[in-house]
Amino acid sequence: MSFMANDSRIELSLVIPAYNEEQSIESCVREADGVLARLGKRYEIVVVDDGSTDGTFERLRALKKDVSALRAVRFARNRGQTTAMAAGFEHARGEIVVTMDADMQNDPADIPRLLEKMDEWDVVCGVREGRRDTFVRKASSAIANSVRNRLTHESIRDVGCTLRACRARHVRRIKLFEGMHRFLPTLLKLEGARVVEIPVSHRPRTKGVNKYGIGNRLFKGLRDLFAVRWMQSRYVKYEVKEEIE
Ligand code: UDP
Ligand code: MG
């Protein structure tokens, strides 16, 4: 009995936050399922519908008939990408959690390469090669990345890339706040995780609309940046010199 329980244990959870992605969610889940099915691991796909007002959840309901690995959680209202990710982490049953966007800008074919690195690392982050976004978006990301890195003494090249693999026990240790998905690698490092970056491909968004403009990325991001700096400076850490028992 216990053997069977062990045997059915999920090894890998793919977490996908989705907000008003009715046009891409189905292809996204099917494409990811195709890649994961070839890995030879027990997996699940956890989509967190972040309070979509379109047909995203209805698509998921229909999709469950074909994709048995699919699980979906629907928020009562839109709470933002970090909150959707946090809910995904809570629902995920796998020892390894991979995150990815729902708009098909990430390519699930990169997931096996992220997983290969998990032997040596706790967190493997994608860096979007030849990023397929507008000039303005790429330029504002470049500025934001460099300001962020300088102020947090970091070297993360692409915090906006959510295609990442993490050990579940590491992600569950951090308390997430909205906006913090951009600082996830930094927060994980703070908790002692070994973090590495590898190049991944990137595709243009062909369906649905982008959820971020310059304003909500740059200005909110700045506020979050100071919060992370504060966390880094006030992090409770100590070295034990001696002990008497
Ligand atoms: N997203 C979400 N809640 C939000 C905004 C975005 O779950 O409030 C999801 C969105 O559906 C997508 C991912 O987060 O799967 C990234 O959003 P988007 O593609 O608009 O932004 P990008 O990172 O490409 O700039
Ligand atoms: Mg996108």
Side-chain angles (χ1 to χ4, degrees), residues 60-80:
L60 292 166
R61 219 191 292 276
L63 202 52
K64 176 67 186 174
K65 296 185 183 82
D66 286 354
V67 182
S68 60
L70 175 65
R71 296 168 64 210
V73 181
R74 182 185 199 175
F75 286 175
R77 55 187 62 85
N78 180 236
R79 304 302 316 190

Side-chain angles (χ1 to χ4, degrees), residues 16-21 24-25 28 48-52 75 78-85 100-106 128 131 133 137 141 160-162 178 181-182 202-203 205 209-213 216-217:
I16 306 176
Y19 176 52
N20 289 344
E21 303 286 4
S24 56
I25 193 66
C28 170
V48 182
D49 178 345
D50 183 13
S52 296
F75 286 175
N78 180 236
R79 304 302 316 190
Q81 194 177 346
T82 306
T83 308
M85 269 191 194
M100 195 180 87
D101 288 349
D103 59 357
M104 300 202 65
Q105 290 205 261
N106 300 128
R128 294 169 289 186
R131 187 171 153 198
D133 277 318
R137 284 167 70 78
S141 290
C161 180
T162 37
E178 189 44 40
H181 62 273
R182 297 195 182 86
H202 195 242
R203 307 183 287 199
R205 186 193 258 276
V209 291
N210 283 320
K211 308 299 180 300
Y212 302 105
N216 62 2
R217 285 200 311 163

Side-chain angles (χ1 to χ4, degrees), residues 6-63:
N6 261 345
D7 204 34
S8 61
R9 209 171 56 197
I10 299 287
E11 294 167 281
L12 176 72
S13 301
L14 175 63
V15 168
I16 306 176
Y19 176 52
N20 289 344
E21 303 286 4
E22 66 177 1
Q23 295 180 61
S24 56
I25 193 66
E26 186 177 338
S27 330
C28 170
V29 170
R30 283 189 195 279
E31 188 184 35
D33 189 53
V35 172
L36 298 183
R38 287 193 291 274
L39 290 176
K41 288 184 189 298
R42 288 179 296 274
Y43 67 95
E44 62 180 4
I45 300 173
V46 182
V47 179
V48 182
D49 178 345
D50 183 13
S52 296
T53 50
D54 67 357
T56 298
F57 203 76
E58 282 63 41
R59 301 281 165 113
L60 292 166
R61 219 191 292 276
L63 202 52

